[in-house]
């Protein structure tokens, strides 16, 4: 048995172009449909509420109006907008790109209901000739010195920590375990104290002067370390401030760096690596692979830059806002357990302005690649989508069926399909581009 479609109220609509990417819809719902919506809302309310002195469903409408009139107006407004907006944009041939902004006066019985919807739409793009767009791709080269530097970094990272002698003094390379409490003008400040912190002298990771101030310290020694926060310090309230840290050294360790030989190579535990030369070859291969990827990314960016330059258009502001919000939300999730609350939100406020240009470029790129895909009739088949999900599942150690179910449940399949479509558009543009190799990455 089929379920009948809900009845759409009788309405009229007038669309006005307010910009190349915006339309204003003036919608008027006829008086009769408004009355029907109020009747429906009050009947539903009467069946659900319990009023003293009345049996369920028997409370007079006048009583319901006095008790619930304002909330019924809100419900009728929501109902009429939801029932007519989709039909209105379809009637006008408009495809919104984000949720509209609705402005309306509360509906009144005996009157028509009017509202306006500010709708953002995709711009009409005029693509240039796609043959021979200029692009640059950095040359990929890995030198012996770079391989040796990466090998040394690996050796340092895998070096176990050993206690220094009892009478040892902290020096560059020492890893100092300490308690510290910082003050500015005699007052403690947020993030200025810690217990059991580890500092590697000479690493340059802390405020200039802090590591140097610990040189020569021995176990059990307490000393004051004076520093001045740099003017570009992330926490704005600390910039340029002089601070005093009361420190107590709890321990001194140093890395026991292993010899650079076949035994070290074998200790890495990678399949097929038994000698130092095999490890060098694997490192070179990994570095070349990363640089190939980075070079391809640089090529694609330069190619899209050329396309953006040749196809100017107005970008829907709502799409930029949405993209910016996505980036800020991702940054918030990554840093909320790392940075203090106030510092995190101060940075997010800064990034909201600093990242807007990049967010707009992302939107331009997406719209242009979509237009290229449409012109060239580039589509992603179900078979290709399934193959990508299966590859992602293998990479994540999941069952492909389960991953696809998760993507479907969370509404992510359309986004994945769009990314794959953009990849096809980039592949097409690259195949037609005039690519110039450049030095460096």
């Amino acid at each position: 048995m089929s379920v009948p479609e809900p009845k759409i109220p009788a309405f009229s609509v007038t669309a006005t172009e307010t910009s190349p990417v915006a339309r204003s819809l003036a919608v008027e719902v006829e008086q009769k449909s408004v009355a029907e919506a109020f009747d429906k809302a009050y009947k539903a309310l009467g069946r659900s509420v319990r009023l003293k002195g009345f049996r369920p469903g028997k409370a007079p409408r006048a009583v319901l109006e006095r008790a619930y009139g304002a909330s019924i107006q809100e419900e009728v407004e929501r109902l009429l907008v939801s029932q007519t907006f989709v039909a209105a944009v379809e009637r006008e041939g408009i495809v919104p790109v984000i949720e509209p902004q609705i402005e309306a006066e509360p509906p009144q019985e005996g009157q028509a209901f009017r509202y306006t919807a500010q709708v953002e739409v995709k711009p009409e793009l005029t693509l240039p000739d796609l043959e021979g767009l200029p692009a640059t791709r950095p040359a990929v080269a890995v030198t012996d010195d770079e391989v040796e530097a990466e090998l040394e970094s690996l050796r340092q990272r895998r070096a176990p920590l050993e206690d220094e002698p009892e009478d040892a003094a902290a020096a560059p390379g020492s890893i100092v375990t300490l308690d510290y409490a910082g003050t500015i003008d005699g007052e403690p400040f947020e993030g200025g104290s810690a217990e059991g912190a580890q500092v590697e002298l000479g690493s340059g990771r802390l405020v200039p002067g802090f590591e140097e101030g610990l040189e020569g310290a021995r176990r059990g020694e307490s000393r004051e370390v004076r520093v001045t926060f740099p003017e570009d310090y992330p926490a704005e309230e600390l910039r340029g401030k002089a601070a005093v840290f009361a420190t107590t050294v709890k321990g001194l360790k140093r890395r026991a760096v292993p010899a650079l030989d076949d035994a070290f190579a074998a200790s890495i535990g990678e399949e097929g690596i038994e000698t130092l030369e095999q490890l060098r070859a694997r490192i070179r291969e990994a570095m070349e692979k990363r640089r190939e990827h980075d070079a391809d990314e640089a090529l694609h960016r330069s190619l899209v830059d050329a396309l953006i330059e040749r196809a100017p258009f107005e970008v829907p502001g709502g799409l930029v806002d949405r993209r910016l919000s996505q980036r800020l939300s991702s940054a918030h999730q990554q840093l909320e357990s790392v940075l203090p609350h106030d510092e995190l939100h101060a940075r997010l406020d800064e990034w909201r302005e600093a990242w807007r240009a990049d967010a707009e470029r992302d939107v331009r790129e997406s719209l242009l690649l979509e237009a290229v895909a449409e012109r060239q009739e580039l589509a992603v088949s179900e078979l290709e989508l399934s193959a990508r999900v299966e590859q992602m599942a293998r990479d994540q150690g999941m069952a492909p069926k389960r991953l696809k179910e998760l993507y479907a449940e969370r509404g992510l399949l359309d986004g994945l399909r769009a990314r794959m479509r953009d990849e096809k558009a980039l592949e097409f543009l690259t195949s037609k581009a005039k690519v110039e190799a450049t030095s460096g990455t």
Side-chain angles (χ1 to χ4, degrees):
M1 179 178 175
S2 61
V3 178
E5 292 286 336
K7 181 183 177 182
I8 298 176
F11 71 93
S12 61
V13 57
T14 302
T16 304
E17 180 177 324
T18 56
S19 86
V21 293
R23 306 290 184 271
S24 178
L25 298 184
V27 180
E28 179 175 313
V29 182
E30 293 183 1
Q31 176 184 333
K32 180 180 178 182
S33 294
V34 176
E36 290 173 353
F38 271 102
D39 287 342
K40 182 177 180 181
Y42 275 115
K43 286 178 181 177
L45 178 67
R47 290 192 296 268
S48 62
V49 299
R50 298 293 183 266
L51 292 178
K52 186 176 181 180
F54 299 98
R55 288 183 294 159
K58 297 300 183 181
R61 169 125 171 210
V63 174
L64 294 175
E65 288 175 350
R66 286 194 297 272
Y68 298 99
S71 62
I72 286 296
Q73 279 185 314
E74 293 177 1
E75 173 60 18
V76 168
E77 178 181 331
R78 183 199 65 77
L79 183 65
L80 292 175
V81 171
S82 66
Q83 289 179 332
T84 59
F85 176 73
V86 172
V89 294
E90 287 180 352
R91 186 181 295 180
E92 294 298 321
I94 294 173
V95 180
V97 293
I98 60 168
E99 289 295 314
Q101 294 182 346
I102 304 292
E103 295 180 2
E105 293 294 327
Q108 305 290 336
E109 287 196 82
Q111 299 179 19
F113 168 62
R114 300 175 182 86
Y115 68 90
T116 59
Q118 306 303 326
V119 183
E120 287 195 316
V121 299
K122 289 181 182 178
E124 293 185 6
L125 302 183
T126 302
L127 291 175
D129 184 3
L130 302 180
E131 186 81 30
L133 286 175
T136 58
R137 186 179 192 275
V140 175
V142 176
T143 66
D144 291 343
D145 287 345
E146 288 171 328
V147 172
E148 292 306 311
E150 184 67 19
L151 189 59
E152 178 61 22
S153 175
L154 177 62
R155 189 165 71 120
Q156 293 291 334
R157 293 197 303 271
R158 295 185 68 86
L161 298 182
E162 295 182 350
D163 287 328
E164 296 209 42
E166 285 297 323
D167 59 347
S174 296
I175 297 174
V176 183
T177 301
L178 75 160
D179 299 340
Y180 63 83
T183 57
I184 295 176
D185 297 330
E187 297 294 329
F189 58 93
E190 186 175 0
S193 301
E195 295 183 357
Q198 284 196 332
V199 177
E200 183 172 1
L201 303 193
S203 66
R205 295 171 186 162
L206 299 181
V207 178
F210 192 93
E211 294 170 21
E212 294 82 352
L214 294 173
E215 290 183 13
R218 289 176 165 80
R219 287 182 183 86
E221 180 179 339
S222 296
R223 62 166 61 178
E224 287 187 347
V225 177
R226 298 177 179 273
V227 303
T228 299
F229 286 94
E231 294 295 339
D232 60 351
Y233 193 70
E236 186 176 356
E237 68 276 9
L238 298 179
R239 292 173 184 171
K241 297 289 183 67
V244 179
F245 288 89
T247 68
T248 301
V249 176
K250 299 293 187 179
L252 290 176
K253 294 181 181 291
R254 185 170 288 270
R255 299 185 190 280
V257 182
L260 198 57
D261 54 19
D262 290 346
F264 168 71
S267 73
I268 299 299
E270 288 192 25
E271 185 177 354
I273 303 297
E274 297 179 357
T275 68
L276 189 58
E277 286 309 307
Q278 289 173 331
L279 180 57
R280 282 194 174 97
R282 182 66 60 84
I283 288 174
R284 182 182 295 277
E285 179 185 9
M287 293 180 72
E288 288 175 345
K289 185 175 181 180
R290 287 197 301 271
R291 290 193 179 176
E292 288 284 355
H293 176 270
D294 292 344
D296 285 340
E297 290 290 312
L299 166 62
H300 291 159
R301 185 172 183 86
S302 70
L303 192 52
V304 172
D305 284 343
L307 192 57
I308 288 174
E309 183 181 351
R310 288 159 175 77
F313 61 90
E314 186 173 337
V315 177
L319 289 182
V320 177
D321 291 339
R322 183 167 67 188
R323 177 59 182 145
L324 182 59
S325 294
Q326 290 169 346
R327 294 189 65 179
L328 291 171
S329 177
S330 177
H332 186 278
Q333 291 176 4
Q334 293 175 15
L335 297 174
E336 63 180 339
S337 61
V338 178
L339 296 178
H341 178 273
D342 291 344
E343 182 178 345
L344 172 58
H345 284 270
R347 290 198 185 189
L348 291 174
D349 288 340
E350 293 177 6
W351 293 337
R352 190 177 302 280
E353 295 303 319
W355 291 355
R356 177 166 289 277
D358 285 341
E360 180 178 326
R361 188 195 182 284
D362 287 348
V363 174
R364 286 187 183 278
E365 177 175 336
S366 179
L367 292 172
L368 282 167
L369 292 179
E370 181 182 10
V372 170
E374 289 178 355
R375 176 192 280 191
Q376 301 305 133
E377 298 182 349
L378 303 174
V380 177
S381 69
E382 287 299 323
L383 187 61
E384 290 171 319
L385 186 65
S386 295
R388 176 63 65 86
V389 172
E390 288 177 8
Q391 181 61 54
M392 293 167 59
R394 284 194 295 271
D395 293 342
Q396 299 175 35
M398 291 182 64
K401 182 179 179 181
R402 179 54 184 153
L403 184 60
K404 192 165 187 177
E405 288 173 350
L406 286 174
Y407 264 60
E409 290 169 4
R410 298 172 185 174
L412 301 176
L413 284 175
D414 286 343
L416 177 58
R417 189 190 298 274
R419 289 196 299 274
M420 293 175 66
R421 178 207 62 208
D422 290 351
E423 291 169 5
K424 285 192 171 190
L426 278 171
E427 289 173 4
F428 168 79
L429 292 174
T430 302
S431 71
K432 302 295 183 181
K434 183 179 180 180
V435 181
E436 177 188 355
T438 61
S439 60
T441 56

